[in-house]
């Protein structure tokens, strides 16, 4: 089977994990600090604060910005559910702006979704492809609303040389299958010292000195063992993102022009880090997305659908008072069309060619 995701940990991860075990210090200690410095360097922000998940990063960012009940946050309807849950968790109301065929939020729709109650917008750099940040920041500047980037899938992605997570408040995930996997974990990146300080307080029950509380906080602390696994992954990120990009370029070369198959868009200046390599199987294709996915499984190629529905298309959100959904025609169509193919760094050229041949022969034979 050619796997969709693969995690391989090595000697350095073992060495650092052992260092933690021998130190007896199990949470938010020196290893977490090293991870934070490395994240700050990667993203190019003055501050990086580690937390215990990408979801916690989004929640803490919203809280630190003062987003609460009565405010609206505009986000993408085509994302992992954590983006929406974070907005609801702080008591805010979610609105949506439809996406483009490159899966990122449409800046024009984003602008149209802003109301006098909007306090933040939260674009998602889906699959590792950054949103059109010059147009997104033009909108947030014009309306004076905060910008939170859901960069959970986008470690190392950039727009015109500026990294995802450096445009607004960056939120990253170190979940087990992300480009920097640690099991669980997350980070917030920012240049704003006061905001960074609020996140640090929120992460540890609002406590600055032992048992003295400045605000009502939470426990978002990251375990040292997770940081020990994440740190070497981060040090190898550049090389691995390069391999993902090479695999993606090979896939694109092999799949471009097949009837009804649309390869991922990458415009000059925007660096895609291919957390997923996602094609669209449109109506013109001789097979629909699900049939193609099962036929590929029979040929030992694992595929994934991220995500089969728009994020609010479940009763718990459709009926939620804080979810202001409207029809999202492009996101709804893309949810029917997307299919992610293996692109991880451990695929050989031969593996990639097997994936290409399998798709080509299924499309041509149909
Ligand atoms: C993974 C992910 C998250 C949440 O991260 P966790 O670490 O799993 O909590 C949020 N948004 C997106 C787009 C993600 O892919």
């Amino acid at each position: 089977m050619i796997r969709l995701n693969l995690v391989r940990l090595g000697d350095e991860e073992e060495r650092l994990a052992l260092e933690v075990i021998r130190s007896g210090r199990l949470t938010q200690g020196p290893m977490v600090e090293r991870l934070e410095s490395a994240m700050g360097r990667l993203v190019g922000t003055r501050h990086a604060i580690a937390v215990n998940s990408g979801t916690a990063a989004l929640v803490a960012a919203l809280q630190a910005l003062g987003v609460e009940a009565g405010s609206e946050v505009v986000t993408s309807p085509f994302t992992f559910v954590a983006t929406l849950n974070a907005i609801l968790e702080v008591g805010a109301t979610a609105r949506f702006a439809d996406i483009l065929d490159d899966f990122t939020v449409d800046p024009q729709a984003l602008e149209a979704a802003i109301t006098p109650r909007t306090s933040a917008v939260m674009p998602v750099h889906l699959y590792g492809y950054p949103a059109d940040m010059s147009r997104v920041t033009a909108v947030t500047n014009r309306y004076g609303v905060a910008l939170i980037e859901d960069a959970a899938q986008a470690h190392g992605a950039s727009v015109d040389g500026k990294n995802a997570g450096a445009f607004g408040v960056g939120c990253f995930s170190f979940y087990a299958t992300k480009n920097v996997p640690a099991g669980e974990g997350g980070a917030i990146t920012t240049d704003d010292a006061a905001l960074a300080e609020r996140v640090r307080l929120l992460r540890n029950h609002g406590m600055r000195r032992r048992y003295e509380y400045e605000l009502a906080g939470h426990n978002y602390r990251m375990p040292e063992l997770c940081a020990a696994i994440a740190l070497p992954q981060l040090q190898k990120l550049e090389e691995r993102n390069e391999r993902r990009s090479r695999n993606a370029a090979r896939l694109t070369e092999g799949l471009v022009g097949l009837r009804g198959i649309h390869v991922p868009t990458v415009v000059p200046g925007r660096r895609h880090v291919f957390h997923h390599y996602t094609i669209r199987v449109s109506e013109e294709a001789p097979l629909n997305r699900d049939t193609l996915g099962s036929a590929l499984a029979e040929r030992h190629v694992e595929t994934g659908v991220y995500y089969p529905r728009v994020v609010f298309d479940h009763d718990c959100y459709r009926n939620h008072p804080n979810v202001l959904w409207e029809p999202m025609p492009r996101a709804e169509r893309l949810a029917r069309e997307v299919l992610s193919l293996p692109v991880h760094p451990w695929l050989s050229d031969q593996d990639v060619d097997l994936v290409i041949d399998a798709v080509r022969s299924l499309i041509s034979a149909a």
Side-chain angles (χ1 to χ4, degrees), residues 52-58 78-83 124-127 150-153 171-178 183-186 275 307:
N52 48 23
S53 71
T55 310
L58 292 167
F78 199 56
T79 180
F80 180 57
V81 71
T83 319
V124 181
H125 305 310
L126 198 70
Y127 309 141
D150 184 339
Q153 304 186 357
C171 295
F172 292 86
S173 166
F174 304 123
Y175 174 67
T177 58
K178 298 284 155 75
E184 302 283 357
H275 175 59
Y307 299 92

Side-chain angles (χ1 to χ4, degrees), residues 50-125:
V51 291
N52 48 23
S53 71
T55 310
L58 292 167
V59 172
L62 287 162
Q63 289 171 329
L65 286 164
V67 178
E68 55 187 14
S71 9
E72 292 179 3
V73 180
V74 184
T75 190
S76 167
F78 199 56
T79 180
F80 180 57
V81 71
T83 319
L84 174 55
N85 283 341
I87 297 168
L88 300 178
E89 173 93 18
V90 302
T93 296
R95 266 189 200 276
F96 302 92
D98 210 350
I99 54 172
L100 302 166
D101 275 358
D102 68 6
F103 312 110
T104 66
V105 75
D106 175 356
Q108 224 173 318
L110 187 69
E111 178 160 12
I114 288 181
T115 76
R117 286 169 177 260
T118 307
S119 49
V121 303
M122 201 187 265
V124 181
H125 305 310

Side-chain angles (χ1 to χ4, degrees), residues 18 25 28 30 49-51 70 84 131 139 153 211 221 258 276-277 291 296 302 322-323 335 359:
L18 203 57
R25 172 106 191 227
Q28 199 177 293
I49 305 100
V51 291
L84 174 55
V139 172
Q153 304 186 357
Y211 309 131
R221 294 181 307 258
L258 284 180
H276 290 302
Y277 179 95
T291 315
L296 284 168
E302 191 183 8
N322 287 1
V323 178
V359 176

Side-chain angles (χ1 to χ4, degrees), residues 124-328:
V124 181
H125 305 310
L126 198 70
Y127 309 141
Y129 189 60
D132 185 346
M133 294 313 288
S134 62
R135 292 182 62 200
V136 168
T137 50
V139 172
T140 54
N141 290 339
R142 189 165 330 127
Y143 293 89
V145 297
L147 171 59
I148 299 172
E149 300 172 71
D150 184 339
Q153 304 186 357
H155 319 68
S158 61
V159 183
D160 298 327
K162 186 167 174 171
N163 272 62
F167 291 88
V169 182
C171 295
F172 292 86
S173 166
F174 304 123
Y175 174 67
T177 58
K178 298 284 155 75
N179 284 23
V180 179
E184 302 283 357
I188 292 146
T189 53
T190 179
D191 279 329
D192 180 337
L195 184 102
E197 190 52 26
R198 282 197 296 282
V199 170
R200 286 193 191 98
L201 282 172
L202 284 166
R203 150 175 90 166
N204 192 21
H205 297 291
M207 182 167 76
R208 192 186 301 277
R209 273 177 304 279
R210 195 161 251 244
Y211 309 131
E212 286 178 28
Y213 308 99
E214 283 187 26
L215 45 82
H218 208 286
N219 169 9
Y220 301 136
R221 294 181 307 258
M222 186 176 186
E224 286 280 278
L225 269 175
C226 290
I229 294 170
L231 188 58
Q233 307 299 303
L234 195 55
Q235 286 155 350
K236 290 177 267 197
L237 177 68
E238 186 52 34
E239 176 204 331
R240 290 186 181 166
N241 279 349
E242 271 308 310
R243 279 199 282 189
R244 287 176 184 272
S245 296
R246 265 193 34 212
N247 293 340
R250 197 176 181 92
L251 284 166
T252 288
E253 204 183 299
L255 298 176
V256 77
L258 284 180
R259 186 153 58 100
I261 300 294
H262 306 265
V263 297
T265 312
V266 185
V267 301
R270 273 197 259 176
R271 184 181 190 207
H272 195 324
V273 292
F274 291 100
H275 175 59
H276 290 302
Y277 179 95
T278 303
I279 58 171
R280 295 194 291 111
V281 185
S282 68
E283 272 178 357
E284 300 81 59
L287 295 177
N288 71 28
R289 185 266 314 274
D290 293 332
T291 315
L292 180 59
S294 345
L296 284 168
E298 278 167 27
R299 291 171 175 239
H300 310 291
V301 176
E302 191 183 8
T303 59
V305 175
Y306 307 101
Y307 299 92
R309 295 176 180 204
V310 295
V311 70
F312 54 73
D313 188 18
H314 302 269
D315 289 344
C316 59
Y317 299 119
R318 289 252 188 223
N319 302 324
H320 197 295
N322 287 1
V323 178
L324 302 180
W325 60 271
E326 291 167 54
M328 293 280 143

